[in-house]
Amino acid sequence: MLTLSNKVAIPDNEIELTAIRAAGKGGQNVNKVSSAIHLRFDIQASSLPDAYKARLMALSDSRISKEGVVVIKAQNYRTQELNREDALERLQALIKAAMVEQKKRTPTKPTKASQRRRVDAKKRKSQTKALRGKVAP
């Protein structure tokens, strides 16, 4: 059971964990031991609330396919147990990050005084540049 909040949790039967061989360095042992974990989680078929599903599907994350399947490959550690924990933590972090609501930006307006200062500075700069012209004979 993967707990996301006090009320929301994902049952273990909805998360598919498969042991695969890790890529990269490791010598002869890497060819014999399946220590990496391949996690698959179907968003649409899950028991998550609709708000969670909608937010996850709206994410533009490379780990989420168009069909709504989250695929995470964990191979940072040498043991299968640590990689399994890492994959589950990454899934939990992804779902929690999707549920964080962005703070609404309140548009601001420049003050009258700042607008006046800006225009005055532009006028001064314009005057300076106008005086740089050639002098009439």
mmCIF file of all heavy atoms in Angstrom, residues 32-67:
data_model
loop_
_atom_site.group_PDB
_atom_site.id
_atom_site.type_symbol
_atom_site.label_atom_id
_atom_site.label_comp_id
_atom_site.label_asym_id
_atom_site.label_seq_id
_atom_site.Cartn_x
_atom_site.Cartn_y
_atom_site.Cartn_z
ATOM 1 N N LYS A 32 24.020 -11.754 -14.667
ATOM 2 C CA LYS A 32 23.330 -12.851 -13.990
ATOM 3 C C LYS A 32 22.216 -12.385 -13.059
ATOM 4 O O LYS A 32 21.285 -13.120 -12.793
ATOM 5 C CB LYS A 32 24.345 -13.674 -13.175
ATOM 6 C CG LYS A 32 25.367 -14.383 -14.019
ATOM 7 C CD LYS A 32 26.309 -15.188 -13.175
ATOM 8 C CE LYS A 32 27.416 -14.310 -12.668
ATOM 9 N NZ LYS A 32 28.449 -15.019 -11.941
ATOM 10 N N VAL A 33 22.320 -11.157 -12.544
ATOM 11 C CA VAL A 33 21.414 -10.692 -11.494
ATOM 12 C C VAL A 33 20.444 -9.649 -12.042
ATOM 13 O O VAL A 33 20.858 -8.707 -12.705
ATOM 14 C CB VAL A 33 22.222 -10.092 -10.319
ATOM 15 C CG1 VAL A 33 21.296 -9.598 -9.229
ATOM 16 C CG2 VAL A 33 23.186 -11.112 -9.768
ATOM 17 N N SER A 34 19.161 -9.835 -11.760
ATOM 18 C CA SER A 34 18.149 -8.853 -12.151
ATOM 19 C C SER A 34 17.892 -7.934 -10.964
ATOM 20 O O SER A 34 17.024 -8.184 -10.139
ATOM 21 C CB SER A 34 16.853 -9.566 -12.551
ATOM 22 O OG SER A 34 17.083 -10.383 -13.661
ATOM 23 N N SER A 35 18.677 -6.878 -10.869
ATOM 24 C CA SER A 35 18.582 -6.004 -9.698
ATOM 25 C C SER A 35 17.792 -4.731 -9.965
ATOM 26 O O SER A 35 17.362 -4.054 -9.033
ATOM 27 C CB SER A 35 19.980 -5.639 -9.189
ATOM 28 O OG SER A 35 20.680 -4.935 -10.184
ATOM 29 N N ALA A 36 17.589 -4.364 -11.230
ATOM 30 C CA ALA A 36 16.821 -3.154 -11.544
ATOM 31 C C ALA A 36 15.321 -3.466 -11.456
ATOM 32 O O ALA A 36 14.901 -4.599 -11.599
ATOM 33 C CB ALA A 36 17.169 -2.651 -12.936
ATOM 34 N N ILE A 37 14.544 -2.419 -11.195
ATOM 35 C CA ILE A 37 13.088 -2.570 -11.066
ATOM 36 C C ILE A 37 12.401 -1.717 -12.126
ATOM 37 O O ILE A 37 12.743 -0.556 -12.324
ATOM 38 C CB ILE A 37 12.608 -2.151 -9.654
ATOM 39 C CG1 ILE A 37 13.136 -3.101 -8.605
ATOM 40 C CG2 ILE A 37 11.095 -2.065 -9.591
ATOM 41 C CD1 ILE A 37 12.556 -4.496 -8.653
ATOM 42 N N HIS A 38 11.434 -2.320 -12.797
ATOM 43 C CA HIS A 38 10.629 -1.634 -13.813
ATOM 44 C C HIS A 38 9.227 -1.496 -13.233
ATOM 45 O O HIS A 38 8.530 -2.488 -13.043
ATOM 46 C CB HIS A 38 10.626 -2.496 -15.089
ATOM 47 C CG HIS A 38 10.240 -1.756 -16.302
ATOM 48 N ND1 HIS A 38 9.014 -1.886 -16.884
ATOM 49 C CD2 HIS A 38 10.922 -0.863 -17.058
ATOM 50 C CE1 HIS A 38 8.961 -1.113 -17.950
ATOM 51 N NE2 HIS A 38 10.100 -0.481 -18.078
ATOM 52 N N LEU A 39 8.814 -0.272 -12.927
ATOM 53 C CA LEU A 39 7.508 -0.014 -12.313
ATOM 54 C C LEU A 39 6.546 0.480 -13.376
ATOM 55 O O LEU A 39 6.884 1.375 -14.153
ATOM 56 C CB LEU A 39 7.659 1.026 -11.205
ATOM 57 C CG LEU A 39 6.409 1.443 -10.446
ATOM 58 C CD1 LEU A 39 6.747 1.678 -8.999
ATOM 59 C CD2 LEU A 39 5.759 2.674 -11.028
ATOM 60 N N ARG A 40 5.353 -0.094 -13.401
ATOM 61 C CA ARG A 40 4.286 0.352 -14.309
ATOM 62 C C ARG A 40 3.037 0.618 -13.469
ATOM 63 O O ARG A 40 2.659 -0.197 -12.638
ATOM 64 C CB ARG A 40 3.981 -0.692 -15.372
ATOM 65 C CG ARG A 40 5.120 -0.900 -16.350
ATOM 66 C CD ARG A 40 4.819 -1.995 -17.344
ATOM 67 N NE ARG A 40 3.735 -1.639 -18.261
ATOM 68 C CZ ARG A 40 3.873 -0.897 -19.345
ATOM 69 N NH1 ARG A 40 5.048 -0.438 -19.675
ATOM 70 N NH2 ARG A 40 2.832 -0.627 -20.121
ATOM 71 N N PHE A 41 2.414 1.778 -13.721
ATOM 72 C CA PHE A 41 1.217 2.160 -12.983
ATOM 73 C C PHE A 41 0.238 2.782 -13.966
ATOM 74 O O PHE A 41 0.524 3.806 -14.587
ATOM 75 C CB PHE A 41 1.574 3.145 -11.863
ATOM 76 C CG PHE A 41 0.387 3.695 -11.131
ATOM 77 C CD1 PHE A 41 -0.397 2.891 -10.330
ATOM 78 C CD2 PHE A 41 0.041 5.037 -11.263
ATOM 79 C CE1 PHE A 41 -1.497 3.401 -9.662
ATOM 80 C CE2 PHE A 41 -1.051 5.562 -10.595
ATOM 81 C CZ PHE A 41 -1.817 4.739 -9.790
ATOM 82 N N ASP A 42 -0.933 2.144 -14.137
ATOM 83 C CA ASP A 42 -1.951 2.633 -15.056
ATOM 84 C C ASP A 42 -2.832 3.645 -14.318
ATOM 85 O O ASP A 42 -3.549 3.295 -13.378
ATOM 86 C CB ASP A 42 -2.798 1.469 -15.574
ATOM 87 C CG ASP A 42 -3.702 1.882 -16.725
ATOM 88 O OD1 ASP A 42 -3.743 3.088 -17.050
ATOM 89 O OD2 ASP A 42 -4.355 0.994 -17.307
ATOM 90 N N ILE A 43 -2.763 4.898 -14.745
ATOM 91 C CA ILE A 43 -3.494 5.975 -14.068
ATOM 92 C C ILE A 43 -5.004 5.775 -14.217
ATOM 93 O O ILE A 43 -5.751 5.879 -13.247
ATOM 94 C CB ILE A 43 -3.076 7.352 -14.633
ATOM 95 C CG1 ILE A 43 -1.594 7.610 -14.365
ATOM 96 C CG2 ILE A 43 -3.921 8.462 -14.027
ATOM 97 C CD1 ILE A 43 -1.025 8.790 -15.117
ATOM 98 N N GLN A 44 -5.470 5.491 -15.444
ATOM 99 C CA GLN A 44 -6.907 5.393 -15.706
ATOM 100 C C GLN A 44 -7.557 4.228 -14.957
ATOM 101 O O GLN A 44 -8.692 4.342 -14.498
ATOM 102 C CB GLN A 44 -7.166 5.243 -17.214
ATOM 103 C CG GLN A 44 -6.661 6.406 -18.042
ATOM 104 C CD GLN A 44 -7.358 7.725 -17.737
ATOM 105 O OE1 GLN A 44 -8.325 7.786 -17.000
ATOM 106 N NE2 GLN A 44 -6.850 8.804 -18.299
ATOM 107 N N ALA A 45 -6.845 3.098 -14.841
ATOM 108 C CA ALA A 45 -7.419 1.912 -14.207
ATOM 109 C C ALA A 45 -7.219 1.914 -12.691
ATOM 110 O O ALA A 45 -7.665 0.989 -12.013
ATOM 111 C CB ALA A 45 -6.785 0.658 -14.791
ATOM 112 N N SER A 46 -6.599 2.945 -12.152
ATOM 113 C CA SER A 46 -6.303 2.989 -10.720
ATOM 114 C C SER A 46 -7.516 3.447 -9.914
ATOM 115 O O SER A 46 -8.498 3.940 -10.454
ATOM 116 C CB SER A 46 -5.127 3.916 -10.449
ATOM 117 O OG SER A 46 -5.514 5.255 -10.672
ATOM 118 N N SER A 47 -7.396 3.314 -8.604
ATOM 119 C CA SER A 47 -8.472 3.728 -7.702
ATOM 120 C C SER A 47 -8.257 5.155 -7.184
ATOM 121 O O SER A 47 -8.883 5.550 -6.197
ATOM 122 C CB SER A 47 -8.551 2.756 -6.521
ATOM 123 O OG SER A 47 -7.320 2.769 -5.820
ATOM 124 N N LEU A 48 -7.387 5.904 -7.849
ATOM 125 C CA LEU A 48 -7.144 7.298 -7.455
ATOM 126 C C LEU A 48 -8.399 8.138 -7.696
ATOM 127 O O LEU A 48 -9.181 7.847 -8.609
ATOM 128 C CB LEU A 48 -5.997 7.892 -8.270
ATOM 129 C CG LEU A 48 -4.576 7.472 -7.921
ATOM 130 C CD1 LEU A 48 -3.607 8.049 -8.943
ATOM 131 C CD2 LEU A 48 -4.187 7.929 -6.537
ATOM 132 N N PRO A 49 -8.587 9.205 -6.905
ATOM 133 C CA PRO A 49 -9.715 10.123 -7.168
ATOM 134 C C PRO A 49 -9.566 10.779 -8.551
ATOM 135 O O PRO A 49 -8.463 10.894 -9.080
ATOM 136 C CB PRO A 49 -9.587 11.168 -6.057
ATOM 137 C CG PRO A 49 -8.786 10.517 -4.991
ATOM 138 C CD PRO A 49 -7.872 9.553 -5.687
ATOM 139 N N ASP A 50 -10.682 11.203 -9.111
ATOM 140 C CA ASP A 50 -10.680 11.779 -10.460
ATOM 141 C C ASP A 50 -9.793 13.016 -10.566
ATOM 142 O O ASP A 50 -9.180 13.254 -11.608
ATOM 143 C CB ASP A 50 -12.111 12.128 -10.891
ATOM 144 C CG ASP A 50 -12.946 10.881 -11.116
ATOM 145 O OD1 ASP A 50 -12.351 9.822 -11.422
ATOM 146 O OD2 ASP A 50 -14.185 10.960 -10.991
ATOM 147 N N ALA A 51 -9.718 13.802 -9.492
ATOM 148 C CA ALA A 51 -8.874 15.004 -9.510
ATOM 149 C C ALA A 51 -7.405 14.614 -9.699
ATOM 150 O O ALA A 51 -6.672 15.250 -10.467
ATOM 151 C CB ALA A 51 -9.044 15.788 -8.218
ATOM 152 N N TYR A 52 -6.970 13.567 -9.022
ATOM 153 C CA TYR A 52 -5.594 13.091 -9.146
ATOM 154 C C TYR A 52 -5.339 12.605 -10.571
ATOM 155 O O TYR A 52 -4.311 12.920 -11.172
ATOM 156 C CB TYR A 52 -5.335 11.938 -8.175
ATOM 157 C CG TYR A 52 -5.039 12.346 -6.749
ATOM 158 C CD1 TYR A 52 -6.015 12.895 -5.933
ATOM 159 C CD2 TYR A 52 -3.779 12.170 -6.215
ATOM 160 C CE1 TYR A 52 -5.750 13.254 -4.623
ATOM 161 C CE2 TYR A 52 -3.493 12.523 -4.897
ATOM 162 C CZ TYR A 52 -4.481 13.064 -4.110
ATOM 163 O OH TYR A 52 -4.205 13.422 -2.818
ATOM 164 N N LYS A 53 -6.284 11.825 -11.101
ATOM 165 C CA LYS A 53 -6.129 11.283 -12.451
ATOM 166 C C LYS A 53 -6.014 12.399 -13.487
ATOM 167 O O LYS A 53 -5.149 12.365 -14.363
ATOM 168 C CB LYS A 53 -7.319 10.385 -12.803
ATOM 169 C CG LYS A 53 -7.345 9.072 -12.048
ATOM 170 C CD LYS A 53 -8.552 8.264 -12.463
ATOM 171 C CE LYS A 53 -8.680 6.994 -11.662
ATOM 172 N NZ LYS A 53 -9.830 6.190 -12.068
ATOM 173 N N ALA A 54 -6.883 13.403 -13.362
ATOM 174 C CA ALA A 54 -6.874 14.512 -14.326
ATOM 175 C C ALA A 54 -5.559 15.280 -14.267
ATOM 176 O O ALA A 54 -4.981 15.624 -15.308
ATOM 177 C CB ALA A 54 -8.045 15.449 -14.046
ATOM 178 N N ARG A 55 -5.080 15.549 -13.061
ATOM 179 C CA ARG A 55 -3.823 16.285 -12.905
ATOM 180 C C ARG A 55 -2.647 15.499 -13.475
ATOM 181 O O ARG A 55 -1.764 16.068 -14.124
ATOM 182 C CB ARG A 55 -3.554 16.580 -11.427
ATOM 183 C CG ARG A 55 -4.379 17.705 -10.856
ATOM 184 C CD ARG A 55 -3.717 19.052 -11.198
ATOM 185 N NE ARG A 55 -4.395 20.148 -10.585
ATOM 186 C CZ ARG A 55 -4.098 20.645 -9.393
ATOM 187 N NH1 ARG A 55 -3.160 20.114 -8.656
ATOM 188 N NH2 ARG A 55 -4.751 21.674 -8.924
ATOM 189 N N LEU A 56 -2.619 14.189 -13.207
ATOM 190 C CA LEU A 56 -1.520 13.357 -13.716
ATOM 191 C C LEU A 56 -1.539 13.279 -15.238
ATOM 192 O O LEU A 56 -0.489 13.342 -15.886
ATOM 193 C CB LEU A 56 -1.601 11.948 -13.124
ATOM 194 C CG LEU A 56 -1.083 11.800 -11.695
ATOM 195 C CD1 LEU A 56 -1.478 10.456 -11.119
ATOM 196 C CD2 LEU A 56 0.425 11.969 -11.645
ATOM 197 N N MET A 57 -2.732 13.151 -15.810
ATOM 198 C CA MET A 57 -2.827 13.059 -17.268
ATOM 199 C C MET A 57 -2.451 14.387 -17.935
ATOM 200 O O MET A 57 -1.977 14.402 -19.074
ATOM 201 C CB MET A 57 -4.244 12.657 -17.694
ATOM 202 C CG MET A 57 -4.614 11.239 -17.314
ATOM 203 S SD MET A 57 -3.527 9.993 -18.004
ATOM 204 C CE MET A 57 -3.987 10.033 -19.710
ATOM 205 N N ALA A 58 -2.641 15.496 -17.232
ATOM 206 C CA ALA A 58 -2.318 16.813 -17.785
ATOM 207 C C ALA A 58 -0.818 17.103 -17.750
ATOM 208 O O ALA A 58 -0.335 17.996 -18.450
ATOM 209 C CB ALA A 58 -3.072 17.902 -17.025
ATOM 210 N N LEU A 59 -0.071 16.350 -16.937
ATOM 211 C CA LEU A 59 1.372 16.568 -16.843
ATOM 212 C C LEU A 59 2.059 16.238 -18.161
ATOM 213 O O LEU A 59 1.682 15.287 -18.841
ATOM 214 C CB LEU A 59 1.983 15.671 -15.756
ATOM 215 C CG LEU A 59 1.873 16.097 -14.307
ATOM 216 C CD1 LEU A 59 2.548 15.067 -13.423
ATOM 217 C CD2 LEU A 59 2.494 17.453 -14.076
ATOM 218 N N SER A 60 3.069 17.011 -18.499
ATOM 219 C CA SER A 60 3.877 16.699 -19.680
ATOM 220 C C SER A 60 5.190 16.097 -19.202
ATOM 221 O O SER A 60 6.242 16.707 -19.282
ATOM 222 C CB SER A 60 4.115 17.952 -20.522
ATOM 223 O OG SER A 60 4.789 18.917 -19.744
ATOM 224 N N ASP A 61 5.097 14.892 -18.680
ATOM 225 C CA ASP A 61 6.247 14.182 -18.128
ATOM 226 C C ASP A 61 6.580 13.023 -19.052
ATOM 227 O O ASP A 61 5.688 12.316 -19.519
ATOM 228 C CB ASP A 61 5.900 13.659 -16.724
ATOM 229 C CG ASP A 61 7.127 13.265 -15.937
ATOM 230 O OD1 ASP A 61 7.907 12.451 -16.469
ATOM 231 O OD2 ASP A 61 7.312 13.754 -14.811
ATOM 232 N N SER A 62 7.857 12.827 -19.323
ATOM 233 C CA SER A 62 8.259 11.763 -20.246
ATOM 234 C C SER A 62 7.999 10.376 -19.674
ATOM 235 O O SER A 62 7.958 9.398 -20.418
ATOM 236 C CB SER A 62 9.745 11.907 -20.589
ATOM 237 O OG SER A 62 10.526 11.781 -19.413
ATOM 238 N N ARG A 63 7.798 10.272 -18.370
ATOM 239 C CA ARG A 63 7.535 8.970 -17.749
ATOM 240 C C ARG A 63 6.076 8.543 -17.901
ATOM 241 O O ARG A 63 5.734 7.407 -17.607
ATOM 242 C CB ARG A 63 7.897 9.018 -16.260
ATOM 243 C CG ARG A 63 9.390 9.267 -16.028
ATOM 244 C CD ARG A 63 9.670 9.503 -14.576
ATOM 245 N NE ARG A 63 9.127 10.784 -14.140
ATOM 246 C CZ ARG A 63 9.309 11.311 -12.946
ATOM 247 N NH1 ARG A 63 9.997 10.666 -12.041
ATOM 248 N NH2 ARG A 63 8.783 12.482 -12.633
ATOM 249 N N ILE A 64 5.207 9.450 -18.352
ATOM 250 C CA ILE A 64 3.793 9.131 -18.515
ATOM 251 C C ILE A 64 3.491 9.013 -20.007
ATOM 252 O O ILE A 64 3.702 9.956 -20.770
ATOM 253 C CB ILE A 64 2.900 10.221 -17.880
ATOM 254 C CG1 ILE A 64 3.220 10.368 -16.392
ATOM 255 C CG2 ILE A 64 1.432 9.885 -18.070
ATOM 256 C CD1 ILE A 64 2.515 11.515 -15.720
ATOM 257 N N SER A 65 2.976 7.839 -20.426
ATOM 258 C CA SER A 65 2.656 7.618 -21.839
ATOM 259 C C SER A 65 1.318 8.275 -22.184
ATOM 260 O O SER A 65 0.576 8.713 -21.305
ATOM 261 C CB SER A 65 2.593 6.118 -22.140
ATOM 262 O OG SER A 65 1.472 5.549 -21.504
ATOM 263 N N LYS A 66 1.004 8.311 -23.466
ATOM 264 C CA LYS A 66 -0.260 8.912 -23.916
ATOM 265 C C LYS A 66 -1.464 8.137 -23.390
ATOM 266 O O LYS A 66 -2.530 8.692 -23.195
ATOM 267 C CB LYS A 66 -0.300 8.951 -25.448
ATOM 268 C CG LYS A 66 0.657 9.942 -26.044
ATOM 269 C CD LYS A 66 0.643 9.869 -27.548
ATOM 270 C CE LYS A 66 1.743 10.746 -28.121
ATOM 271 N NZ LYS A 66 1.982 10.499 -29.532
ATOM 272 N N GLU A 67 -1.271 6.829 -23.192
ATOM 273 C CA GLU A 67 -2.359 5.986 -22.689
ATOM 274 C C GLU A 67 -2.571 6.166 -21.193
ATOM 275 O O GLU A 67 -3.531 5.634 -20.641
ATOM 276 C CB GLU A 67 -2.069 4.501 -22.974
ATOM 277 C CG GLU A 67 -2.030 4.147 -24.442
ATOM 278 C CD GLU A 67 -0.711 4.516 -25.108
ATOM 279 O OE1 GLU A 67 0.344 4.392 -24.459
ATOM 280 O OE2 GLU A 67 -0.743 4.951 -26.267
#
